[in-house]
Amino acid sequence: MALGVTAAQQTIYTTLLYHPGSTLSDLTRLTEQPRARLAGLLLELQALGMVGVDGSAEPAYTPYPPDAVVETLIRKRETEFIRARIEAKRLSGDLLAAEQRGNPEKLVEIIDGREAVAQRWEQVQRGASRQVKTIDKPPYATDPTRPNEIERDRIANGIEYRAIYTPDALAIPERLEIARDDTACGERARVLENPPAKLVIVDDELALMPLRGDEPGITALIRPSTLLDILISVFNTCWEQATPLRFDDEESSPPGVWPRLSDADRHLLTLLAAGLKDEAVARHTGMGSRTVSRHVARLLRTLNARTRFQAGVHAARRGLV
């Protein structure tokens, strides 16, 4: 039977299945076990929820049905595992805190090399239990034109992803399409023109941040500390300031609102909301730069906006893209 049941306990339980209502004297005769040992085993079976006992002068023992016993044992083991995990996490936290007091350098680990950074990026995603938050801006330690399959798998398993993209990131055509697909999978995405740093925060318990903005191959892993608290605050502030990145199609656009906006206009506004410049918009749409400039000028007048980015922001807030 396993599940924490010893061979001796299982022997007595099996005997009771074939001889329900047996007394201690009956079991002594049936099993040829010493009376004192049997009494101890029966107490253990009661504690495990495997047998019941009546209140007569010479108590009789009755086994509970095997399927109910197995369910009870499974729940008991699950409870023990949960307690063990909680205790292990507490001990790990105590150990980490003690280690950090004695070795403050453990608060920050330096990861050197793009391959090592990419491996750690995968590792921290797989270790997330609640949430992954990122500020996505070039340059990259990994190929920015390839989708993050780990993210999509983790989202499917209930992990929340929040991403703040810079216009420079979305100017990479493949990156914009990846962002579109990721939001369709459940990523919450926003755009911010100039966030202070590239950043990853996992469960608000650790962060990854390049030490130099132009070299993602030298990255710091920051563990719980005042520095991590500051980085969490930075991300939260950026998130509040950022504009939602939306990829609504025609069917999801509000009917009767801005009827002069065509599909091409809505696509163009999406690119403007992402902060792309005319040259990048031209690459995405296949239009020439002059044609893009004419369309942008018309949309600026329509939306009463002074800048391209402002036009995209206004459109996003009005639900036009």
Side-chain angles (χ1 to χ4, degrees):
M1 183 177 290
L3 295 174
V5 179
T6 67
Q9 291 167 343
Q10 184 169 340
T11 297
I12 304 305
Y13 176 75
T14 303
T15 301
L16 283 170
L17 286 175
Y18 288 99
H19 303 278
S22 295
T23 64
L24 182 57
S25 298
D26 296 332
L27 290 170
T28 303
R29 185 175 61 258
L30 289 168
T31 64
E32 298 182 352
Q33 290 276 354
R35 188 181 181 90
R37 176 168 170 73
L38 271 175
L41 289 170
L42 288 167
L43 286 173
E44 293 170 2
L45 290 173
Q46 287 178 257
L48 289 170
M50 297 176 67
V51 303
V53 59
D54 65 17
S56 58
E58 188 173 6
Y61 296 89
T62 303
Y64 295 128
D67 54 349
V69 166
V70 168
E71 288 300 319
T72 299
L73 292 174
I74 288 174
R75 286 197 297 272
K76 183 178 179 63
R77 297 294 283 181
E78 287 177 341
T79 301
E80 291 173 356
F81 289 146
I82 290 171
R83 287 174 178 168
R85 289 194 188 101
I86 292 172
E87 180 64 12
K89 190 167 185 178
R90 185 188 68 78
L91 291 173
S92 295
D94 290 346
L95 180 62
L96 178 61
E99 191 174 27
Q100 289 172 351
R101 284 194 298 270
N103 301 285
E105 66 273 11
K106 296 289 186 179
L107 293 173
V108 178
E109 174 187 345
I110 306 303
I111 306 167
D112 192 359
R114 294 198 174 202
E115 184 175 349
V117 171
Q119 290 176 352
R120 186 56 64 92
W121 165 226
E122 292 184 6
Q123 180 185 23
V124 299
Q125 288 183 91
R126 295 190 189 281
S129 61
R130 293 181 289 104
Q131 186 183 72
V132 177
K133 301 185 288 193
T134 65
I135 295 179
D136 186 313
K137 61 187 297 186
Y140 296 94
T142 58
D143 184 353
T145 66
R146 298 184 62 181
N148 181 1
E149 298 295 346
I150 298 175
E151 172 179 348
R152 297 177 185 182
D153 176 70
R154 300 299 283 147
I155 289 176
N157 283 279
I159 305 302
E160 181 189 31
Y161 272 71
R162 285 200 277 163
I164 299 172
Y165 294 93
T166 64
D168 286 345
L170 297 178
I172 303 170
E174 296 89 349
R175 199 76 188 153
L176 183 63
E177 291 307 310
I178 290 170
R180 179 192 297 271
D181 293 339
D182 287 344
T183 56
C185 291
E187 177 185 277
R188 298 173 60 194
R190 296 187 177 185
V191 180
L192 188 62
E193 196 160 10
N194 191 28
K198 187 184 184 76
L199 183 63
V200 174
I201 300 174
V202 177
D203 292 336
D204 286 349
E205 293 180 355
L206 63 84
L208 291 171
M209 184 180 69
L211 291 179
R212 293 205 303 262
D214 60 347
E215 181 45 74
I218 304 176
T219 291
L221 186 149
I222 299 103
R223 296 186 174 86
S225 57
T226 302
L227 176 57
L228 177 61
D229 293 341
I230 291 171
L231 294 177
I232 292 170
S233 178
V234 167
F235 179 90
N236 291 340
T237 299
C238 289
W239 182 259
E240 291 173 0
Q241 295 173 349
T243 302
L245 180 61
R246 300 176 57 179
F247 296 97
D248 296 341
D249 56 23
E250 183 178 6
E251 292 181 359
S252 62
S253 297
V257 177
W258 299 97
R260 289 184 295 170
L261 294 184
S262 64
D263 291 345
D265 288 336
R266 279 190 284 270
H267 181 53
L268 181 57
L269 283 168
T270 297
L271 300 178
L272 294 179
L276 271 63
K277 296 181 173 63
D278 285 359
E279 295 78 6
V281 172
R283 288 198 298 271
H284 277 282
T285 61
M287 294 187 290
S289 295
R290 291 184 178 178
T291 303
V292 169
S293 297
R294 287 198 299 272
H295 281 295
V296 169
R298 175 176 55 81
L299 288 172
L300 290 178
R301 291 193 298 272
T302 300
L303 295 169
N304 192 27
R306 294 189 304 274
T307 67
R308 291 161 171 75
F309 187 72
Q310 188 181 62
V313 170
H314 286 179
R317 288 176 176 169
R318 293 175 186 178
L320 303 180
V321 296

